[in-house]
Amino acid sequence: MLDLKHIRNDPDAVRKAIADKGEKADLERLLSLDEELRALIVEADELKQDRNVSSERIAEMKKKGEDASELISQMRDVSARIKAFDERMAGLRDEIEALALTVPNIPHPSVPVGKDEDDNVLVREWGEPEEPCASPRPHWEIGEELGILNLPAATKIAGSGFICFVGLGALLERALIRFMLDVHTKEHGYTEVSTPFLSNRDAMTGTGQLPKLEEDMYRTSDDDLFLIPTAEVPITNIHREEILDGGRLPVRYVGYSPCFRREAGSYGKDTRGLIRVHQFDKVEMVKFVEPETSYDELESLTANAEDILQRLGIPYRVKTLCTGDLSFAAAKCYDIDAWAPGVGAWLEVSSCSNFEDFQARRSGIRYRPEDGGKPGFVHTLNGSGLALPRTLIAVVENYQTPDGRVRIPEALRPYMDGLAEIA
RNA sequence: GGAGAGGUGACUGAGUGGUCGAAGGUGCGCGACUGGAAAUCGCGUGUACGUGAUGAGCGUACCGAGGGUUCGAAUCCCUCCCUCUCCGCCA
């Protein structure tokens, strides 16, 4: 959510952001309702002041034994008017709040303006996207043949778009999770957290998934809880409605979680294998930082995610998302794509975003500066570090051998009981 | 799920209809005292919104959340949420 004062002061910047991001938000209505509300507040506050002063007088009169009935009946009328004002204002506030929640974050000036993913800008590449063998095979073939993947079983259990790892496949998944968590906690300075995998509406609204993306989420109808689409939701909400001590910043968390996504509207895309599924594991990094440092923190966050791929020896590229591809809540975002030779594609394994104070304002996450100044909103960032199935695809496809084995990257071997290959 | 107790400011803890944004204490900040410190004393110490010049000031709201009663609610009534204790159930 943006600061209403900011929207009021610079509506053109907000209009441009809405257009550049390809979002829809009724800014004009928001502005006019805001103006209407402020006028009502002035009137209502005057009446309330009258009520407060008169109530005090009534108390005094009664104490002295004077007759206050005339003033009381006067105030009865004032109170009724106040009530009417309050109701109108509450209605306006609800509508303003609902509208404000649909206004997207404003892209950072360094973000290229563009329509869709074709306008994203390549920042850097690492490694050589090579063919590990003459005709590299896709992960689903390799996985099935080695008996580490049983997709028909997952379909029996939950339907298409779910995964069932078996034996060394399951171990590989677990090894990747532990490897990533270890690197981020021991070398990158993150504190590991393990959070609920369901979250309520407030938490979902705080990080910006709601109200826009309700259709994309699994919801439990009896309790109105949502299966989290990313650990960003629970981890960011750890500090909802708090004022953090400025000396504590930056706060860096990393957590593993499964992620649940209905992928509504993406039917027919990437239907084979593990590329696009309804449930996947992910290690997620989240930072709470002072506003001045958030763009530096975005660079280091991205570097932390890249480090995982480098240690795994997987070629990747980093892109800056253009305005049209930038998510609703983000001000700037880098996507990291890993090379997958079997499917012959770059797979997005991480999205590293700076939300500036957009999520913090929705979630009420503030900090008190060390110099004792007024509390301000923190900047929040998050990035995958990394998404598991696609990383696993990259490992399996890059490390496949011509005779159908899969070598284990050196960095993972300690987590695979020293195993050098799956055969 | 059942029974009971309770949710007040950074913390602790008063407050059962008006003088309460809220006593007292702790903590924190500034000052005095001191060679320096401790102790002691004095002053100060919430957030949001509106108004105003994004100042001073003024106003309004906030005592778990939302409704209600009343001229007036932290205080009374209703609903919900959360915490604690006991019982039941359960990994």
Side-chain angles (χ1 to χ4, degrees), chain A residues 27-46:
Chain A
L27 197 63
E28 312 316 316
R29 178 154 179 80
L30 178 59
L31 287 167
S32 83
L33 290 178
D34 173 58
E35 201 176 329
E36 192 182 335
L37 174 64
R38 279 182 295 143
L40 288 179
I41 287 173
V42 171
E43 272 191 83
D45 277 4
E46 275 172 25

Side-chain angles (χ1 to χ4, degrees), chain A residues 23-315:
Chain A
E23 296 280 350
K24 285 187 191 120
D26 195 343
L27 197 63
E28 312 316 316
R29 178 154 179 80
L30 178 59
L31 287 167
S32 83
L33 290 178
D34 173 58
E35 201 176 329
E36 192 182 335
L37 174 64
R38 279 182 295 143
L40 288 179
I41 287 173
V42 171
E43 272 191 83
D45 277 4
E46 275 172 25
L47 287 174
K48 286 176 183 176
Q49 184 180 8
D50 181 18
R51 179 177 68 184
N52 288 343
V53 170
S54 297
S55 289
E56 226 167 293
R57 270 194 62 204
I58 290 168
E60 275 171 39
M61 289 170 81
K62 286 200 163 185
K63 213 177 199 175
K64 289 184 195 158
E66 295 171 22
D67 177 23
S69 55
E70 193 183 327
L71 188 54
I72 287 175
S73 76
Q74 235 175 14
M75 282 306 106
R76 196 169 289 152
D77 181 53
V78 169
S79 272
R81 290 177 61 201
I82 289 173
K83 194 175 173 184
F85 267 106
D86 279 345
E87 275 165 17
R88 276 180 70 195
M89 292 194 297
L92 275 176
R93 285 199 164 98
D94 285 349
E95 201 176 341
I96 288 169
E97 166 92 2
L99 279 172
L101 286 175
T102 66
V103 177
N105 201 358
I106 298 174
H108 188 263
S110 67
V111 171
V113 175
K115 192 163 166 284
D116 53 34
E117 60 186 27
D118 294 334
D119 296 325
N120 294 340
V121 174
L122 182 68
V123 179
R124 59 183 163 268
E125 286 181 288
W126 185 92
E128 285 293 319
E130 289 170 342
E131 310 277 284
C133 50
S135 48
R137 294 186 299 158
H139 58 282
W140 57 84
E141 282 185 26
I142 303 167
E144 198 178 329
E145 202 171 285
L146 292 174
I148 59 174
L149 189 62
N150 187 348
L151 291 179
T155 305
K156 260 191 275 187
I157 299 164
S160 69
F162 290 88
I163 304 174
C164 180
F165 289 115
V166 179
L168 291 175
L171 180 61
L172 180 57
E173 169 93 348
R174 181 154 56 93
L176 281 164
I177 293 168
R178 288 199 55 203
F179 163 65
M180 291 177 192
L181 286 172
D182 277 358
V183 171
H184 293 315
T185 55
K186 292 175 184 169
E187 300 186 40
H188 296 157
Y190 293 78
T191 301
E192 184 175 354
V193 290
S194 177
T195 66
F197 300 150
L198 283 93
S199 98
N200 59 31
R201 233 166 234 287
D202 286 345
M204 285 288 176
T205 305
T207 35
Q209 277 73 21
L210 290 182
K212 195 188 163 195
L213 301 174
E214 179 149 1
E215 290 304 298
D216 278 318
M217 286 187 289
Y218 291 100
R219 185 169 76 88
T220 67
S221 55
D222 283 349
D223 301 293
D224 203 30
L225 291 172
F226 296 85
L227 276 72
I228 56 169
T230 160
E232 160 193 351
V233 175
I235 298 177
T236 305
N237 276 283
I238 285 174
H239 294 300
R240 182 153 50 97
E241 302 299 335
E242 285 184 20
I243 299 177
L244 300 170
D245 187 356
R248 275 184 71 187
L249 301 178
V251 173
R252 302 187 181 93
Y253 292 128
V254 63
Y256 152 80
S257 88
C259 303
F260 304 90
R261 300 184 181 179
R262 295 186 60 224
E263 298 289 349
S266 66
Y267 297 112
K269 269 198 224 165
D270 306 320
T271 47
R272 294 207 71 177
L274 313 183
I275 297 177
R276 186 177 297 277
V277 286
H278 293 306
Q279 178 189 328
F280 61 93
D281 287 330
K282 182 156 61 68
V283 169
E284 182 78 3
M285 302 173 283
V286 175
K287 292 183 181 184
F288 302 84
V289 309
E290 290 180 285
E292 297 73 32
T293 65
S294 70
Y295 280 93
D296 290 337
E297 293 283 353
L298 177 62
E299 296 304 320
S300 65
L301 177 77
T302 309
N304 294 154
E306 289 176 58
D307 189 31
I308 298 293
L309 288 170
Q310 291 182 12
R311 288 170 190 241
L312 291 174
I314 294 171

